[in-house]
Amino acid sequence: MRPQGRACLGNLAAGFVSSASRGQEAARSRQTRARPLSRSAANMAEEAKKLAAYAAVDNHVQNNQAVGVGSGSTIVYAVDRLAERVRQEKLNLVCVPTSFQARQLILQHGLALSDLDRHPELDVAIDGADEVDADLTLIKGGGGCLTQEKIVAGCAKHFVVIADYRKDSKALGQQWKKGVPIEVIPMAYVPVSRMIAKCFGGEANLRMAVSKAGPVVTDNSNFILDWKFEHAQNWKEVNTAVKMIPGVVETGLFVGMAERAYFGMEDGSVQVRDPPLH
């Protein structure tokens, strides 16, 4: 009986090993099959960004304009198209950046760099967004440049938003889960965080850096709080109230500022949205 028992145990163990091996092979096979899908999705999003950026530049930029240049991954394609049109059409443009990143893009593409001292009134500003709702209210500041972005947008006769299909929402918070960025004076981040939670609910957390110890520091040497709100709000009222809290520099809520949004879609089309008529 014992030899037979050992044989049974041996066969059972072999079966387990065989099943485990087959399971590992199946898992590897699933992972291998999944990788091209993720790359394809990433490529699709990048192509959508490019489509939106090119459409906005082609429809809104003309000769002899001062152009506000936003920040983020989608704006890279807009600057590519600006430079392309300047070369091909001999356009006379000056570009005002919203960040160090935007400034470097302008210089790298050989475009004319200016600022709000020399060009306080811009013909058009083009920028991305972290989320756009049905009213064209925006959440911006995922890249930490919200204050300069809002200043430049506010100086433009026309403010145009470019984004891919993932940024399109019926209501803020549906797609973007990281909250509303709020730039604050460093010494005030704790009282501001507490006041926001007390008045509006949710929680406002200090944004920590990834490649350095400590918090993210903006181009203006300030900190950023990311306010994760619990429910939909009257964003115009909330934006005004938050800005009244001592220590708040600016919010990432852009309310009533964008006059048009371009969304690059998965099928290769571009969807255009204007603010609803009230």
Side-chain angles (χ1 to χ4, degrees):
M1 293 297 293
R2 288 179 180 172
Q4 288 176 347
R6 282 197 297 270
C8 289
L9 289 172
N11 291 336
L12 189 59
F16 282 140
V17 170
S18 177
S19 296
S21 298
R22 285 195 299 271
Q24 290 170 356
E25 288 173 6
R28 282 195 294 270
S29 177
R30 286 194 298 271
Q31 290 170 358
T32 302
R33 287 196 300 269
R35 285 182 190 130
L37 290 176
S38 62
R39 284 200 299 269
S40 176
N43 290 340
M44 191 180 297
E46 290 304 311
E47 184 61 28
K49 293 177 185 180
K50 183 177 179 180
L51 289 168
Y54 274 49
V57 170
D58 288 349
N59 289 340
H60 295 275
V61 175
Q62 301 173 11
N63 193 28
N64 297 318
Q65 283 188 332
V67 180
V69 176
S71 306
S73 60
T74 309
I75 206 69
V76 173
Y77 297 107
V79 177
D80 285 344
R81 183 58 178 157
L82 279 173
E84 194 175 72
R85 288 193 59 197
V86 166
R87 289 193 303 270
Q88 294 174 351
E89 304 171 37
K90 310 300 181 187
L91 298 182
N92 177 35
L93 301 177
V94 293
C95 299
V96 174
T98 57
S99 64
F100 179 84
Q101 178 222 11
R103 182 180 185 277
Q104 295 305 106
L105 283 172
I106 291 166
L107 293 174
Q108 289 165 8
H109 285 76
L111 296 169
L113 178 68
S114 189
D115 52 42
L116 293 177
D117 291 343
R118 288 172 286 183
H119 292 89
E121 187 174 279
L122 307 175
D123 295 288
V124 61
I126 299 175
D127 205 347
D130 298 309
E131 190 170 32
V132 185
D133 76 2
D135 294 327
L136 251 57
T137 299
L138 319 175
I139 291 179
K140 290 177 52 55
C145 308
L146 56 146
T147 299
Q148 301 98 300
E149 289 171 343
K150 192 175 281 190
I151 291 169
V152 169
C155 291
K157 297 175 186 175
H158 307 285
F159 176 42
V160 179
V161 176
I162 53 178
D164 64 78
Y165 52 89
R166 301 172 302 174
K167 309 300 178 65
D168 185 11
S169 291
K170 290 183 179 180
L172 296 184
Q174 286 185 347
Q175 302 286 355
W176 180 253
K177 303 299 184 182
K178 297 181 181 180
V180 176
I182 299 168
E183 186 164 347
V184 297
I185 300 296
M187 69 173 289
Y189 85 89
V190 171
V192 169
S193 175
R194 290 167 58 89
M195 182 65 72
I196 289 172
K198 178 183 176 181
C199 294
F200 307 107
E203 58 180 9
N205 299 316
L206 182 64
R207 186 184 298 182
M208 303 306 290
V210 175
S211 298
K212 67 174 279 291
V216 167
V217 179
T218 70
D219 288 358
N220 308 310
S221 301
N222 295 318
F223 290 172
I224 291 180
L225 296 174
D226 289 306
W227 171 41
K228 295 184 179 179
F229 53 90
E230 296 174 333
H231 51 79
Q233 311 263 354
N234 181 321
W235 295 117
K236 184 176 182 179
E237 292 180 1
V238 167
N239 180 57
T240 301
V242 171
K243 288 181 67 171
M244 292 300 293
I245 300 173
V248 170
V249 177
E250 190 54 87
T251 82
L253 289 167
F254 285 52
V255 185
M257 298 186 71
E259 71 171 44
R260 179 165 288 181
Y262 290 83
F263 297 98
M265 306 306 290
E266 293 171 279
D267 62 4
S269 65
V270 176
Q271 185 180 103
V272 181
R273 180 183 302 160
D274 294 333
L277 296 175
H278 294 297

